[in-house]
Structures are given as structure tokens and as C-alpha cells.
Amino acid sequence: MSSQSRAPRSAQAMTFDEMVERVRYEGAYPTGERAEAALSAVLAALGRQLTGDERVALAARLPVEAALTLTTQIPGAEPLTGYGFVSDLASRTGATPATARWDTGTVFAVVARLAGDELVTRILGRLPNGYALLFGRAQLTPAA
């Protein structure tokens, strides 16, 4: 295995409880239970969007519980844009769009750290437009 395909050492050592705590801290959630609910909802939603090698690679870099939440989802027939992703998450969780956007950005920031820049770039290449900002990156569009 090449060094590029491996997750950073600190990511490999992260437990699910540490991931929940990181989400709680970064999202300023009042409890670990609220952070875990956001983490589970966002990972399940991502699991309905992400397919292929990127899905497998991401699951390998997540704690087991998080990987299972991601991979037990059946990908949807129609991919959602970033806006559609947040709207669908809000609808499924009963949250406002603003809360769903906050949850998504918080969870994706932690996921991006675990995944590493190269994998996040590959994931963004597989997903429709609008996800870059959710992962904390600029959305670059080609000149017309």
C-alpha cells in the first residue's frame, strides 16, 4: 500500500467517541447525544449519495460505527446537488435548512480531516455541484 492511500496516523487512531466529541466541540452542540445525532444523520445522507471507490476509501478511514452508518445506506437513484442534500437532510430530520446546513458543515469538516485532502478531492469529483462549500472548500467552476 502506498503512503498516499493511507489515512493520516491520527485519523486511524480516532475512535467513534472521539469523533462524536470532535463534532460536539466544532459544532458547539450542547451534548454528545446531539452531536451523535447530527453525525449519524449526515453520514447516512452522505451514504445515500456517495458510490464507488470513494465510498469504500472513506469508510476505511472512519471509525467502524461511522463507517457502518455510511455504508449501510442504499445510494439514491438520482444524485442530489449540495443544496438538495441539505434540503433532503432537513426534511428527513425535521430540522430547519439552516440547522441541516450547520450539521452538514460540522460533520463534513471532521470527515474531511479523517479522509485527507486527496480523498476529499476525489469525493468532490464524484458528487454533483454544491458539495465543495459543505466540505469547507471553494466551489471552482470552469470559465464559460
Side-chain angles (χ1 to χ4, degrees):
M1 184 188 291
S2 74
S3 62
Q4 285 185 343
S5 63
R6 281 189 273 170
R9 182 157 170 44
S10 62
Q12 292 173 339
M14 184 176 277
T15 67
F16 183 71
D17 289 340
E18 290 168 336
M19 188 177 190
V20 169
E21 180 56 26
R22 176 63 31 204
V23 169
R24 188 201 61 75
Y25 177 78
E26 291 195 15
Y29 295 109
T31 65
E33 291 79 18
R34 176 65 185 93
E36 186 173 347
L39 177 61
S40 294
V42 172
L43 286 176
L46 183 59
R48 291 188 291 275
Q49 297 303 307
L50 190 59
T51 60
D53 292 341
E54 290 75 17
R55 178 182 171 115
V56 173
L58 179 58
R61 295 184 187 184
L62 297 175
V64 172
E65 300 89 338
L68 288 172
T69 300
L70 177 81
T71 59
T72 57
Q73 302 303 309
I74 298 170
E78 287 292 317
L80 299 173
T81 63
Y83 175 81
F85 180 92
V86 171
S87 297
D88 182 64
L89 182 63
S91 174
R92 288 176 185 266
T93 62
T96 65
T99 299
R101 169 63 179 91
W102 181 266
D103 291 348
T104 300
T106 300
V107 171
F108 280 5
V110 174
V111 167
R113 252 183 257 114
L114 289 169
D117 288 339
E118 182 270 330
L119 180 54
V120 170
T121 299
R122 287 178 33 215
I123 289 169
L124 291 174
R126 180 163 289 281
L127 295 170
N129 286 336
Y131 285 85
L133 290 174
L134 297 173
F135 275 96
R137 291 188 174 184
Q139 178 74 47
L140 303 176
T141 56

